[in-house]
Amino acid sequence: STLFPYTTLFRSLDLLGYRDEAKEKAKNMVLRIRATGCKTIVVSDPLVYDAFRNDYPAWGVQLGAEIQHVSEYLLELVRAGSLKLKPFLSKVTLADSEYLGRFNGIYEAPREVIRASAGDSFSEMQWHHEYQQSAGEAAFTFNGLPFDRGAELGRKISVKAEECGADTIVTLSATAKSSITAVSGLKVIDIAEFAATRMV
């Protein structure tokens, strides 16, 4: 797992005009991954997922392994019956991920995982699926200053969660969790934590 944060750095190199360097580093990353013999790569960071699924092929780099977001992996386990979840009785909602949703079409996997535990206690915010609000997921340092609008974005999401009656917000990225937690009185957990706390 320590390898994967560097994948987003390769994207930054590409955006800054260092495509050859990004491609070379991506190729080295693939060699390290292949050396493990793994057939499936499960990632929790939507930007890493997007880089593996979209940037690597665009650079002509093939992983030779299946890429799954943790929500897709959890859903496979739920559907196979190998992951059973206890009922979640509080109202819960989902903060969609920009990169998983808009760029990779992943909307239903996390919802199915949550509904497998929460059932009718799951509630949609006003803005969801392709209309989801940003939590600053793609932010990075600009002009020497770190992105500082996370609290503002997190507050907007928290307000919409409160409006739909949710006590808990499930996120799909560490950035979203951090941005919302900083300003919300609601419980904020990521999808893996949600599943881990509900396991039978």
Side-chain angles (χ1 to χ4, degrees):
S1 62
T2 56
L3 300 176
F4 299 151
Y6 295 105
T7 297
T8 55
L9 295 178
F10 305 163
R11 167 178 278 165
S12 298
L13 282 173
D14 187 35
L15 290 172
L16 292 170
Y18 298 98
R19 173 158 287 194
D20 289 342
E21 288 85 348
K23 287 168 67 173
E24 191 60 34
K25 291 185 180 300
K27 287 176 183 176
N28 290 336
M29 173 73 77
V30 167
L31 291 176
R32 294 175 71 182
I33 292 171
R34 286 181 180 167
T36 69
C38 76
K39 301 299 181 189
T40 303
I41 301 170
V42 179
V43 295
S44 60
D45 187 312
L47 273 75
V48 172
Y49 179 92
D50 185 65
F52 279 147
R53 289 297 292 266
N54 299 309
D55 292 343
Y56 276 46
W59 297 335
V61 179
Q62 300 301 321
L63 279 168
E66 181 186 7
I67 308 298
Q68 288 189 320
H69 183 257
V70 66
S71 63
E72 296 176 298
Y73 179 71
L74 289 170
L75 180 57
E76 277 192 6
L77 297 178
V78 168
R79 286 178 172 173
S82 53
L83 175 61
K84 300 187 187 318
L85 304 176
K86 296 180 287 190
F88 189 85
L89 303 177
S90 297
K91 275 281 189 184
V92 60
T93 192
L94 174 69
D96 278 297
S97 159
E98 304 154 58
Y99 272 84
L100 289 181
R102 291 193 181 116
F103 300 111
N104 293 284
I106 297 176
Y107 293 112
E108 299 311 318
R111 284 174 168 79
E112 284 194 48
V113 171
I114 295 169
R115 285 192 180 107
S117 173
D120 291 339
S121 293
F122 175 75
S123 181
E124 292 281 15
M125 285 186 264
Q126 178 182 2
W127 307 111
H128 55 87
H129 284 76
E130 64 267 25
Y131 300 109
Q132 75 260 21
Q133 293 179 296
S134 171
E137 200 170 74
F140 63 97
T141 301
F142 183 70
N143 281 346
L145 298 173
F147 180 75
D148 61 358
R149 304 283 297 277
E152 177 186 338
L153 298 176
R155 189 173 292 109
K156 289 179 179 180
I157 293 171
S158 181
V159 166
K160 292 303 178 186
E162 289 174 8
E163 288 176 357
C164 77
D167 302 310
T168 301
I169 303 171
V170 175
T171 68
L172 300 174
S173 77
T175 302
K177 181 180 176 183
S178 177
S179 296
I180 300 168
T181 300
V183 295
S184 179
L186 303 179
K187 184 176 182 181
V188 185
I189 57 176
D190 70 32
I191 189 74
E193 291 173 313
F194 177 84
T197 59
R198 308 316 305 158
M199 288 173 62
V200 174

